[in-house]
């Protein structure tokens, strides 16, 4: 029925599923839309699942339906049909429809749309001809809709063209949940340790046993995985703060790691790492290294870009000889084989001497969902 | 149309888009998922729908420890054990120890009800997925009784989310989704008017201006919400702050901005042109 609309939605990158699309069509057929405005709202309610995608929907909608504004007769016919889809034939008999059938009307709509698109090619297609809309508030009076404070005569197309949801757009799709789901793959559950009384199961078993005590013993199910997260909070990481903090939240909330520690560093690991960057609480990196067991999983997050001397120079403050940043990274790698580096920068920036050097120490993956999955696959079996 | 249509409530003003979403949910028998910042009236909406349609409202407030099964029923096995050992009561009827949860009651109710599942994102990641089958089929099985309960009247389900966690895709696809925008200035004045009817006009104007300016700062972790504005206004009136003082600086900003990082951010923003006195 509205195939071009579906195509436009998908072209904007909205993954509209079949069941949602069918629900939308059913809604139109049962007269839920009642007008082009209603069509806009109905579609948005059923086909979009996040306010971040409202803007994409607006683009697709205005792209599809702006042609109506140029064709008052078609617009009127569409409105009349949407208002009461079951009544099409009767309305036609009363001379309210210039089209023989719904199909013919939709065919005309498709044609108008194609023409409109051609006309706007190369220009700003969303500017359209909003002002010439042949219908205003008048048509609404008989629809029985109590208008809210946002009322006024904005048509669905013009609502879409306003693009008021632009600020809600996040082309950044990685959310805490995505990270959490990926991290879950790191869990490695095993029953070990002493047998303990499982109280819930005991109560259950006893109750089922008509009150005769039935003890249920069970070894603890424990996750043996220990994780340490090292995050670069250097200046060039500033644009990635949000993304890294989401990864951090996901890792911190991930239930069932045997231990989870996190540290901050600035560009590179030197003598100290910070346990709380903002409060300035720090720890000698040698101590951190001691604390780590060989089966720890290490995740470094950073853009790995810095001035070469920051990574390669072997002297610390006061001219004392000290391991270089790269040496320190190698020490961590020697202690814990399962160590990866996640880089939030786009791969096109990876062609940089310090990035290349670090990626010879740690397998480097992009801080994307796929990158994280690859990294975790490595952490599970680092051989 | 065979479904009852929602036309807004007496005390709840719904805009066209919201009403379209509610009616789509009613007609297509899908749960309505309402998202939005705190203080945008998500919970109130369920009340308004119940009132508007003349139905009873059942609420299920989700917490971080809530399990999906608790919404259906709980089996008080400890009570039964206690009764059997010490109570001398008849414990052969398990039914007496099965207590229905809000979802369970909504499904077994003789008349249609509105079921509010409040703050669904508070619970565990898998929580929404665990509800899918029951919400889809509108039936559930009580394992202990080996009994399947089928809804007599499909409840209108309203689910709210603060977007603290993201919801699973499979769950989203089954819902009618609506995002309630934060109220604009005109509307917030009305909301304030309900809570503080005797507020000096000029103070309100300045405070609302400042409030929206503050909300427009990019990168805030927690934007101040309606309830914070209301608290702030209360503090301002109690302390006898003059409207001019609000324009010059931001007195009692701690009421509005609570997170350390946000305070630091404000400190930085203040230095930029056009943001003086924030």
């Amino acid at each position: 029925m509205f195939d071009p609309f579906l195509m436009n939605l998908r072209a904007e990158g909205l993954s509209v599923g079949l069941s949602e699309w069918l629900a939308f069509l059913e809604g139109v057929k049962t007269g839920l839309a009642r007008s082009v405005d209603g069509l806009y709202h109905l579609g948005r309610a059923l086909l979009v699942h996040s306010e971040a995608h409202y803007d994409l929907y607006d683009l697709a909608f205005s792209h599809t339906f702006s042609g109506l504004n140029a064709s008052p007769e078609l617009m009127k016919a569409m409105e009349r049909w949407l208002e009461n889809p079951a009544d099409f034939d009767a309305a036609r008999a009363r001379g309210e429809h210039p089209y023989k059938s719904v199909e013919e009307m939709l065919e005309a709509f498709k044609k108008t749309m194609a023409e409109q698109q051609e006309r706007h090619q190369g220009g700003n297609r969303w500017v359209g001809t909003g002002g010439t809309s042949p219908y205003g508030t008048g048509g609404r009076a008989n629809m029985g809709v109590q208008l809210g404070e946002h009322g006024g005569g904005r048509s669905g197309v013009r609502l879409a063209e306003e693009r008021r949801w632009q600020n809600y757009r996040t082309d950044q799709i990685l959310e805490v949940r995505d990270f959490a789901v990926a991290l879950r793959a790191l869990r490695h559950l095993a029953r070990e340790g002493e047998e303990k009384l499982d109280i819930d199961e005991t109560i259950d078993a006893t109750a089922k046993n008509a009150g005769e005590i039935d003890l249920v013993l069970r070894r603890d199910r424990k996750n043996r995985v220990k994780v340490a997260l090292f995050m670069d909070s250097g200046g060039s990481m500033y644009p990635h703060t949000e993304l890294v903090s989401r990864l951090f939240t996901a890792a911190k909330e991930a239930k069932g790691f045997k231990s989870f520690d996190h540290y901050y560093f600035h560009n590179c690991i030197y003598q100290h790492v910070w346990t709380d960057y903002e409060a300035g609480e720090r720890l000698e990196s040698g101590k951190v290294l001691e604390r780590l067991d060989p089966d720890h999983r290490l995740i470094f997050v950073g853009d790995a870009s810095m001035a070469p001397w920051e990574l390669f120079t072997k002297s610390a403050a006061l001219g004392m000889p000290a391991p270089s940043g790269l040496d320190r990274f190698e020490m961590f790698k020697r202690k814990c084989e399962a160590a990866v580096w996640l880089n939030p920068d786009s791969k096109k920036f990876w062609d940089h001497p310090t990035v290349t050097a670090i990626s010879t120490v740690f397998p480097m993956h992009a801080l994307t969902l796929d990158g994280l999955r690859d990294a975790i696959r490595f952490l599970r079996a680092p051989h | 149309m065979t479904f009852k249509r929602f036309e807004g409530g007496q005390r709840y003003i719904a805009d066209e888009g919201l009403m379209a979403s509610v009616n789509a949910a009613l007609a297509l028998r899908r749960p309505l998922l309402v998202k939005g910042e705190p203080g945008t009236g998500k919970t109130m909406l369920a009340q308004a729908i119940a009132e508007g349609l003349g139905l009873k409202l059942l609420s299920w407030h989700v917490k971080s420890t809530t399990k999906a099964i608790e919404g259906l029923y709980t089996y008080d096995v400890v009570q039964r054990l206690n009764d059997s050992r010490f109570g001398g009561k008849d414990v052969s009827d398990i039914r007496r120890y099965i207590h229905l949860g809000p979802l369970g009651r909504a499904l077994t109710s003789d008349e249609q009800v509105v079921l509010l599942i409040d703050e669904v994102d508070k619970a565990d990641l898998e929580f929404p997925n665990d509800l899918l089958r029951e919400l889809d089929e509108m039936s559930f099985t009580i394992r202990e009784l080996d009994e399947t309960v089928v809804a007599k009247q499909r409840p209108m389900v309203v689910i709210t989310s603060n977007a603290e966690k993201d919801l699973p895709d499979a769950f989203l696809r089954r819902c009618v989704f609506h995002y309630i925008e934060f109220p604009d200035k005109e509307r917030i004045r009305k909301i304030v008017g309900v809570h503080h009817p005797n507020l000096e006009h000029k103070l309100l104007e300045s405070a609302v201006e400042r409030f929206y300016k503050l909300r427009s700062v990019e990168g805030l972790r927690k934007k101040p919400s309606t309830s914070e504005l209301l608290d702030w206004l209360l503090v301002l009136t109690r302390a006898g702050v003059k409207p001019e003082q609000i324009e010059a600086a931001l007195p009692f900003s701690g009421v509005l901005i609570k997170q350390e990082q946000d305070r630091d951010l404000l400190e930085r923003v203040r230095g930029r042109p056009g943001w003086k006195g924030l």
Side-chain angles (χ1 to χ4, degrees), chain B residues 37 182 211 214-215 220 222-226 228 256-257:
Chain B
E37 281 180 49
F182 195 81
F211 176 71
L214 192 60
R215 278 183 56 88
L220 280 184
K222 166 94 180 59
K223 287 185 181 183
S225 72
T226 317
E228 270 125 20
L256 295 169
I257 298 291

Side-chain angles (χ1 to χ4, degrees), chain B residues 98-168:
Chain B
I98 302 268
H99 305 292
L100 290 177
L103 179 57
R105 270 180 281 141
L107 293 181
T108 49
S109 168
D110 286 326
E111 51 202 77
Q112 199 193 14
V113 297
V114 176
L115 172 68
L116 167 69
I117 305 180
D118 208 11
E119 305 195 62
V120 72
D121 55 330
K122 281 263 186 318
D124 186 71
L125 279 174
E126 294 304 328
F127 177 82
N129 277 340
D130 293 347
L131 288 176
L132 276 184
R133 211 184 70 90
E134 282 75 19
L135 289 179
D136 258 5
E137 293 174 12
M138 286 289 159
S139 71
F140 66 100
T141 305
I142 301 179
R143 220 162 25 109
E144 285 77 2
L145 300 175
D146 200 16
E147 236 180 58
T148 301
V149 182
V150 183
K152 293 172 194 150
Q153 294 284 342
R154 201 179 176 94
M156 161 79 188
V157 182
V158 180
I159 303 168
T160 74
S161 163
N162 283 328
E164 270 185 24
K165 292 191 196 120
D166 314 295
L167 300 169

